[in-house]
Amino acid sequence: MSQSAIPAPSIDVLIIGSGAAGLSAALHLPPELNVTILSKGPISAGSTPWAQGGIAAALGGIEDIEQHIADTCRAGSGLPKADTVRRVVEAGSRQIDWLLELGMPFSSDDGESSHLHLTREGGHGARRVAHAADHTGRTLMETLLDAVRARPNISLVEYQLAIDLITTQRLGLTEESNCCIGAYVLDLQADRVHTLRARHVILATGGAAKAYLYSTNPDSSTGDGIAMGWRAGCRVANMEFMQFHPTCLFEPRAKSFLISEAVRGEGGVLLLPDGTRFMPNYHPDAELAPRDVVARAIDAEMKRLGIDCVYLDISFKGKAFIEQHFPMIHQRCLEYGYDMTRQPLPVVPAAHYTCGGIDVDEQGQTDIAGLYAIGETSHTGLHGANRLASNSLLECLVYGEAAAQHIASNHAEACSRNWPVPDWDESQVTDADEAVVVTHNWDELRRAMWDYVGIVRTTKRLERAQHRIALLRREIHDYYAHFRITNNLIELRNLVEVADLIVRSALARHESRGLHFIRDYPEANPDCAQHNTVLTPINRSVRRACDA
């Protein structure tokens, strides 16, 4: 692997995003293709290293596969696409074997890779989550990066922030079908824009949870790929389903530190300040109910009692058990003065995972030739109205492999004409005179999303959010048109686009289903089962959830 300061101007496969999905795709591509992976910051800045729980994989044979499929569909409230769920779940065992071949050090019961320790998380009917203690994402990244570094055909370039995709439609070649042939990319260290040509482009930029004031995600989760794909002409689906993780550490200094689902999977219980357990009042599975149920229950108790947080207790398991199963969480909590071996942890829900995204087929292909979307950036049909715990890393691996295989099989037919691509033009813009406008709009957008488009919604709240977002969108686009771009401006432009998509999708779904709970329509509508909310950018139309 080379790690150059400037990407090559012409590339076989350009991968925008350096998390599990992007790295997996790169490793499955044939060695004769030259591959460039762009990271918008240091490699460790993405969401993958933050994943604590593990990788859901049915390793117990046919019965376990069928149960995993059933659990996924049940968690997704009827919306998961049946053939997608089966294809992903059936690939679980193969993906774990592939990672073991790469040297992934999974936790095991006896030190042998043939006896992996499997934990259980919310929504799962059995133990099937393979993990590396409580730092699976970090260990997965290290494993994939080691493999990438051994591949001379792969270049990884840090501090490169994609601005927009280059398509034949954008170039005015209207007689041609729309084809993606590259991207404009801001080099954050050199402060200049590169024009990169590529025969294939893969969007693997993660989700958009930073559209909310409180999030478990790193600062990089600004919906870049979803916004770029939408602007380029891709359909986007099911953006109303934003997952809120129930248990984020309630500690300002921690800045969005997630307390893994596995803590509840191993017996942790949720308590009110007086020590009363409340989850059995909300669901028969109590703390192991799907995330949307647990998050809404916590939100309801906080509003009912006027409290700032609830508490997650696993101290009764003992110090040895906790230090063995949750060493990273235990250590981080100690840094903030909380000893989970002796006391409950204060927790609150926070925006966590984007279940919708760019609509793709089984190979990760978008509506635009030569453009793929994988991982949290995409909508594959796996998650439906709510993602089952630890299915996300599995989806990254499965679709990374699928996209790579499709590219390898169709490379000869890829967009290859030598269309003239203009360089980035800054001749009509100036340096910003008041960058505080960006900061102010960023804060206003995220607060509006938290207040009006959160765990519990109403039509009135959504309409208020839509009005405010429309005003912000106009301000931000005007600012973008007149001043030189910066990383904050690019991310804000993407966030306001994604926020608009979330609100429009939420207004279109006239029922409560999974992660979308709206008081105006508190029950699920049976007629809406299997119906997605699809937004089309050509005329900015919305196909409502229950439209034919």
Side-chain angles (χ1 to χ4, degrees):
M1 180 197 78
S2 63
Q3 191 158 330
S4 56
I6 300 175
S10 187
I11 300 156
D12 286 329
V13 185
L14 176 64
I15 301 175
I16 303 174
S18 58
L23 295 178
S24 172
L27 289 169
H28 285 291
L29 287 165
E32 61 268 19
L33 298 184
N34 92 67
V35 181
T36 294
I37 304 172
L38 302 183
S39 176
K40 68 189 289 187
I43 295 300
S44 59
S47 293
T48 298
W50 291 50
Q52 297 170 356
I55 303 170
L59 306 180
I62 294 175
E63 185 176 340
D64 194 17
I65 288 173
E66 295 303 324
Q67 188 178 33
H68 189 180
I69 290 170
D71 290 344
T72 299
C73 293
R74 182 168 52 251
S77 299
L79 278 189
K81 189 177 178 182
D83 58 347
T84 297
V85 175
R86 179 166 295 279
R87 187 172 62 255
V88 172
V89 168
E90 288 180 345
S93 178
R94 187 180 76 251
Q95 296 300 330
I96 296 298
D97 288 343
W98 179 65
L99 292 175
L100 287 170
E101 290 172 7
L102 293 180
M104 174 88 174
F106 285 105
S107 296
S108 63
D109 290 319
D110 56 6
E112 298 293 329
S113 61
S114 58
H115 296 90
L116 300 184
H117 178 268
L118 302 177
T119 191
R120 183 184 175 191
E121 296 183 351
H124 287 274
R127 288 179 172 268
R128 67 168 67 91
V129 180
H131 62 102
D134 60 349
H135 45 75
T136 305
R138 188 183 71 199
T139 304
L140 175 62
M141 278 291 291
E142 292 169 353
T143 301
L144 296 176
L145 279 171
D146 284 346
V148 164
R149 292 186 180 107
R151 293 281 296 272
N153 67 310
I154 302 175
S155 299
L156 191 148
V157 193
E158 297 178 312
Y159 300 100
Q160 306 293 317
L161 177 54
I163 306 166
D164 263 323
L165 299 169
I166 303 171
T167 66
T168 54
Q169 190 174 79
R170 178 186 181 125
L171 297 177
L173 303 171
T174 53
E175 72 278 5
E176 304 284 347
S177 59
N178 201 15
C179 182
C180 185
I181 56 173
Y184 291 113
V185 177
L186 176 63
D187 186 324
L188 297 176
Q189 293 182 316
D191 193 26
R192 58 166 294 190
V193 176
H194 300 297
T195 303
L196 304 184
R197 295 186 63 108
R199 297 186 68 181
H200 312 268
V201 177
I202 299 176
L203 295 172
T205 61
K210 276 295 175 178
Y212 287 85
L213 187 62
Y214 302 110
S215 168
T216 65
N217 284 201
D219 291 340
S220 58
S221 298
T222 51
D224 302 334
I226 298 171
M228 283 190 292
W230 170 255
R231 287 193 295 265
C234 296
R235 287 172 302 158
V236 171
N238 285 3
M239 290 298 292
E240 69 268 37
F241 299 121
M242 177 64 70
Q243 188 179 77
F244 289 78
H245 197 286
T247 53
C248 182
L249 185 67
F250 182 64
E251 168 55 62
R253 294 170 297 167
K255 194 180 182 183
S256 308
F257 181 62
L258 173 69
I259 306 299
S260 172
E261 188 103 10
V263 173
R264 284 177 284 129
E266 293 295 336
V269 294
L270 288 163
L271 307 173
L272 298 176
D274 65 1
T276 302
R277 189 178 175 199
F278 60 90
M279 275 310 303
N281 299 330
Y282 286 91
H283 196 277
D285 291 337
E287 283 79 8
L288 289 176
R291 286 177 178 175
D292 62 313
V293 175
V294 181
R296 277 200 303 275
I298 294 173
D299 182 71
E301 291 297 320
M302 289 170 59
K303 288 175 178 174
R304 181 178 72 87
L305 298 172
I307 55 179
D308 293 328
C309 65
V310 297
Y311 294 85
L312 177 60
D313 187 23
I314 196 170
S315 60
F316 53 86
K317 283 283 193 174
K319 184 175 182 179
F321 179 91
I322 291 169
E323 289 182 342
Q324 177 187 357
H325 286 79
F326 309 110
M328 188 265 288
I329 296 175
H330 179 231
Q331 184 57 44
R332 282 292 302 277
C333 288
L334 285 176
E335 293 172 9
Y336 299 112
Y338 301 102
D339 185 351
M340 63 189 292
T341 68
R342 303 177 61 182
Q343 65 186 125
L345 301 174
V347 295
V348 292
H352 181 59
Y353 190 88
T354 310
C355 287
I358 298 173
D359 214 24
V360 299
D361 67 10
E362 63 185 23
Q363 284 86 32
Q365 289 186 108
T366 71
D367 298 323
I368 301 174
L371 180 65
Y372 299 76
I374 57 177
E376 197 174 351
T377 304
S378 67
H379 170 258
T380 65
L382 175 65
H383 307 307
N386 186 12
R387 176 177 67 86
L388 182 66
S390 288
N391 268 358
S392 53
L393 290 179
L394 177 62
E395 181 186 42
C396 287
L397 298 171
V398 172
Y399 274 85
E401 179 184 27
Q405 289 178 345
H406 190 264
I407 288 170
S409 300
N410 294 274
H411 183 62
E413 292 79 37
C415 303
S416 58
R417 284 179 54 182
N418 191 28
W419 286 294
V421 178
D423 288 333
W424 186 257
D425 183 8
E426 289 190 331
S427 62
Q428 304 299 313
V429 297
T430 62
D431 290 324
D433 50 0
E434 292 189 3
V436 68
V437 173
V438 173
T439 303
H440 175 79
N441 285 353
W442 182 290
D443 292 339
E444 186 177 346
L445 174 67
R446 295 176 67 209
R447 186 168 293 279
M449 289 294 289
W450 183 260
D451 290 343
Y452 301 130
V453 200
I455 297 171
V456 177
R457 302 162 178 175
T458 67
T459 299
K460 190 172 184 178
R461 288 178 190 172
L462 293 173
E463 288 173 345
R464 285 174 178 167
Q466 189 173 47
H467 176 68
R468 282 159 174 76
I469 289 168
L471 294 174
L472 286 170
R473 196 167 179 269
R474 285 196 293 270
E475 281 188 27
I476 293 163
H477 285 200
D478 182 68
Y479 197 92
Y480 177 84
H482 290 89
F483 299 110
R484 288 193 175 89
I485 56 173
T486 64
N487 59 326
N488 287 338
L489 177 56
I490 294 169
E491 291 181 331
L492 179 59
R493 177 181 179 234
N494 291 332
L495 274 180
V496 78
E497 198 76 78
V498 169
D500 178 61
L501 296 173
I502 293 170
V503 173
R504 290 173 59 207
S505 299
L507 282 168
R509 184 169 288 277
H510 294 170
E511 64 159 353
S512 289
R513 183 177 295 274
L515 300 168
H516 175 68
F517 183 83
I518 182 166
R519 284 181 175 164
D520 305 73
Y521 308 96
E523 304 296 329
N525 182 349
D527 293 335
C528 296
Q530 299 298 318
H531 287 267
N532 298 312
T533 306
V534 181
L535 288 78
T536 304
I538 304 303
N539 54 10
R540 298 185 65 80
S541 65
V542 181
R543 191 181 76 208
R544 295 183 183 274
C546 297
D547 285 351

